[in-house]
Amino acid sequence: MEQYRIRRVRAALLALTAAGGLLLTGCSASGDGANGSSYDGGNKGGGYAPAPEGEQQGSSPDSPDSSDSDSRDVAPEPDYLSTFALDVDTASYGYARRTLAEGSMPDPSTVRPEEFVNSFRQDYDRPDGNGFTVTVDGARTDKDDWSLVRVGLATRAAEDGEERPPAALTFVIDISGSMAEPGRLDLAKDSLGTMTDQLRDDDSVAIVTFSDEAERVLPMTRLDGNRDEVHDAIEGLEPTDSTNLGAGVDTGYETAEDGLREGATNRVVLISDALANTGDTDADTILERIASERREHGITLFGVGVGSDYGDQLMEQLADKGDGHTAYVSDEGDARKVFVDQLPRNIDLTARDAKAQVAFDPETVKEFRLVGYDNRRVDDEDFRDDSVDGGEIGPGHTVTALYAVRHKPGTDGHLATASVRWLDPESRTPHEESGQLESEDLDGDLWKAGSRLQVTAVAAYFADTLRSYGAEFSPLPGTPSLGELSEHAHDLARSTEDKDVTQLAEAIDQAKRHGD
């Protein structure tokens, strides 16, 4: 089924999409060269709600009854909908920071804007119980009739001492020769050792290593009374030869399956530079193994990338296929954040197959453009098809989607309805929550809006700028220069006193130096 109207996209852009997937999500080009959906349709009525249950086709503007229908009660036309699977990956931003720090610009194909945006703390309200809150806000940019609209989804953070299911974690560790580089295996060993002491007595750990072959170093072992054995296995890891990633994944999932614990969170944690060069190097074969184990046993995957040479695309594909997410570790601070702070706290799952859908109102919105999520798009009619894969989200996570939205001149009122749908991890019962945005809720000036919205904008603009190097596509409307972005980032670092924002400002400064 065709999901969108015919897009008027230049052949050069199509070629870039095929080559590297570097384009932002968007529809037909507007007269001023910005990408987005062109909204000259004739649907009448109030603000749009998400597509309702049942029939997913909206009324045609040419339908005799369309002018009398209340558009809140019908599905919007496909052009007014944006649907994607939730994603909490952050590896792209971490890898870009490392590349810039080492004196190079990142390859545009490795820059995923949503992972830049989702790398920063947000100020969304949290739900009282399980599920999500939906926050929709935004601000007007310097570009006429354009705003940035932020859709924020948040789960309740796990409290210290709160009961959670036990964890059965299978660590699959790359010990190939490239892992001997400082900042790879040494960081992983130190972090895993510290993390082992953070886990609970009823948690279990298994360790698999791989180089030219894979080896089960430690079967699934309860930590109660066995922590020394786990520490000894970690300390004994040494780099050897080539990278047989396929064998590591196979043995890792076999070990996880052998040690499968009912009622526990069963997860494979893959630590690698993802540069497969021995054995099964075919990504599709490796991915199918992960998909089958995920479907049959519910084993999820957490991919941790390391190294200055890093197979970013493969690691992202592995995590997406394994119902998981990715992070990138470049130094001790990153390692502590990932292994010591995040992983032990976020072992549990809050939502499975979570998807978001944003419905823009054709009465007030002329066009829109989703920033990133290129590989996470979902067909609009599949929003409520719970057999369609979404994202897995844990406690304390936030997910942010940023849109560039062009208003119809002289209009006010409802702009968008944002909805999230997910399955309860245990019962698989579906749930939904929604939030609304009115034009009067927008801040009048982006750079006078709340600090967290500004940080989101700086991260998105920065990613968009990095993606433009070596690629020809229209930048986001109102994109500042790197010098202006640097000023905004440093101001925000001072006002928020947030170390992560300081690192963002430093990365922008480095990009400015490399780009001059």
Side-chain angles (χ1 to χ4, degrees):
M1 177 183 293
E2 181 175 292
Q3 299 306 316
Y4 297 95
R5 294 175 183 173
I6 296 174
R7 293 157 168 80
R8 292 171 288 156
V9 184
R10 293 175 298 174
L13 296 186
L14 290 174
L16 283 169
T17 303
L22 306 183
L23 299 180
L24 294 178
T25 303
C27 301
S28 62
S30 67
D32 62 3
N35 291 336
S37 293
S38 180
Y39 295 140
D40 295 323
N43 281 25
K44 307 296 182 183
Y48 266 47
E53 301 280 2
E55 181 64 38
Q56 299 296 311
Q57 294 298 312
S59 298
S60 166
D62 300 323
S63 169
D65 298 327
S66 65
S67 61
D68 297 327
S69 65
D70 182 354
S71 59
R72 291 183 186 274
D73 298 328
V74 299
E77 291 192 8
D79 277 353
Y80 301 111
L81 288 173
S82 171
T83 310
F84 58 93
L86 300 198
D87 190 357
V88 293
D89 291 354
T90 59
S92 175
Y93 174 64
Y95 186 45
R97 277 184 51 224
R98 174 166 185 159
T99 304
L100 289 165
E102 292 180 344
S104 302
M105 297 291 281
D107 184 331
S109 67
T110 68
V111 177
R112 292 182 292 278
E114 72 276 13
E115 298 187 22
F116 280 55
V117 167
N118 283 321
S119 294
F120 296 92
R121 180 174 60 83
Q122 297 289 358
D123 54 3
Y124 308 136
D125 291 336
R126 302 278 183 174
D128 294 331
N130 292 330
F132 291 86
T133 55
V134 182
T135 301
V136 194
D137 59 10
R140 298 186 183 271
T141 72
D142 296 335
K143 183 80 170 178
D144 289 344
D145 299 327
W146 284 93
S147 294
L148 291 185
V149 170
R150 179 177 65 162
V151 177
L153 310 171
T155 59
R156 182 177 64 89
E159 298 178 1
D160 291 340
E162 184 176 343
E163 285 297 318
R164 64 160 171 81
L169 305 177
T170 301
F171 290 94
V172 180
I173 305 170
D174 187 345
I175 59 168
S176 61
S178 61
M179 293 293 288
E181 174 189 310
R184 297 196 186 196
L185 186 57
D186 56 336
L187 268 184
K189 289 171 63 174
D190 290 344
S191 303
L192 289 175
T194 304
M195 188 209 66
T196 297
D197 294 329
Q198 305 291 318
L199 294 172
R200 302 179 182 178
D201 286 345
D202 62 345
D203 293 331
S204 301
V205 169
I207 296 176
V208 169
T209 61
F210 66 95
S211 53
D212 55 337
E213 296 180 347
E215 178 184 359
R216 187 179 301 185
V217 175
L218 183 74
M220 194 64 71
T221 302
R222 293 283 182 104
L223 287 176
D224 186 15
N226 297 304
R227 291 182 194 270
D228 288 344
E229 184 179 354
V230 176
H231 281 296
D232 289 344
I234 293 170
E235 284 301 313
L237 302 178
E238 296 292 341
T240 55
D241 300 312
S242 52
T243 309
N244 192 338
L245 181 60
V249 168
D250 278 350
T251 305
Y253 272 85
E254 288 172 0
T255 301
E257 184 179 345
D258 290 345
L260 197 72
R261 292 178 59 182
E262 293 295 329
T265 300
N266 296 276
R267 182 167 297 171
V268 169
V269 181
L270 174 62
I271 305 169
S272 176
D273 56 19
L275 299 173
N277 55 27
T278 301
D280 188 357
T281 60
D282 180 66
D284 290 339
T285 305
I286 300 172
L287 291 169
E288 182 53 39
R289 168 68 172 173
I290 289 177
S292 63
E293 294 299 323
R294 183 261 298 172
R295 285 192 299 266
E296 186 174 353
H297 302 291
I299 300 170
T300 59
L301 177 70
F302 179 33
V304 181
V306 295
S308 54
D309 293 323
Y310 170 50
D312 167 82
Q313 185 177 23
L314 178 56
M315 185 68 89
E316 185 206 16
Q317 291 175 333
L318 292 171
D320 286 349
K321 204 69 159 180
D323 278 351
H325 62 283
T326 64
Y328 181 83
V329 168
S330 63
D331 54 32
E332 291 181 5
D334 290 344
R336 175 165 287 276
K337 181 186 295 185
V338 168
F339 289 107
V340 179
D341 297 337
Q342 296 177 354
L343 186 56
R345 279 206 321 261
N346 297 329
I347 286 172
D348 199 9
L349 281 180
T350 298
R352 283 191 180 272
D353 290 323
K355 300 187 285 283
Q357 185 171 84
V358 183
F360 291 95
D361 193 321
E363 291 295 298
T364 55
V365 173
K366 184 175 178 62
E367 55 186 321
F368 69 88
R369 179 177 175 183
L370 174 61
V371 182
Y373 290 95
D374 304 314
N375 300 328
R376 304 295 284 165
R377 284 176 286 177
V378 174
D379 291 340
D380 294 329
E381 74 270 22
D382 288 339
F383 177 58
R384 290 193 175 91
D385 184 344
D386 296 324
S387 67
V388 173
D389 192 32
E392 273 54 48
I393 307 298
H397 280 149
T398 61
V399 179
T400 299
L402 197 69
Y403 289 87
V405 176
R406 189 180 187 187
H407 306 258
K408 285 189 174 180
T411 61
D412 291 303
H414 185 264
L415 290 175
T417 299
S419 299
V420 58
R421 182 180 178 88
W422 72 96
L423 303 181
D424 181 273
E426 296 182 4
S427 68
R428 301 297 177 118
T429 302
H431 302 275
E432 284 188 25
E433 290 288 346
S434 296
Q436 309 287 333
L437 180 66
E438 305 291 324
S439 57
E440 58 265 29
D441 296 331
L442 293 173
D443 283 302
D445 183 346
L446 173 62
W447 304 117
K448 294 180 181 178
S451 60
R452 288 297 154 185
L453 177 57
Q454 290 190 55
V455 170
T456 300
V458 169
Y461 280 136
F462 183 39
D464 193 59
T465 300
L466 292 177
R467 289 214 299 183
S468 71
Y469 282 91
E472 296 180 3
F473 65 93
S474 299
L476 282 171
T479 299
S481 67
L482 281 176
E484 292 170 321
L485 274 183
S486 173
E487 292 179 8
H488 289 307
H490 282 289
D491 288 344
L492 288 165
R494 286 189 291 270
S495 64
T496 61
E497 298 182 345
D498 186 335
K499 181 181 70 174
D500 292 336
V501 181
T502 300
Q503 292 176 339
L504 173 62
E506 293 169 350
I508 295 172
D509 290 342
Q510 291 160 350
K512 184 176 181 298
R513 288 195 294 271
H514 303 330
D516 288 342

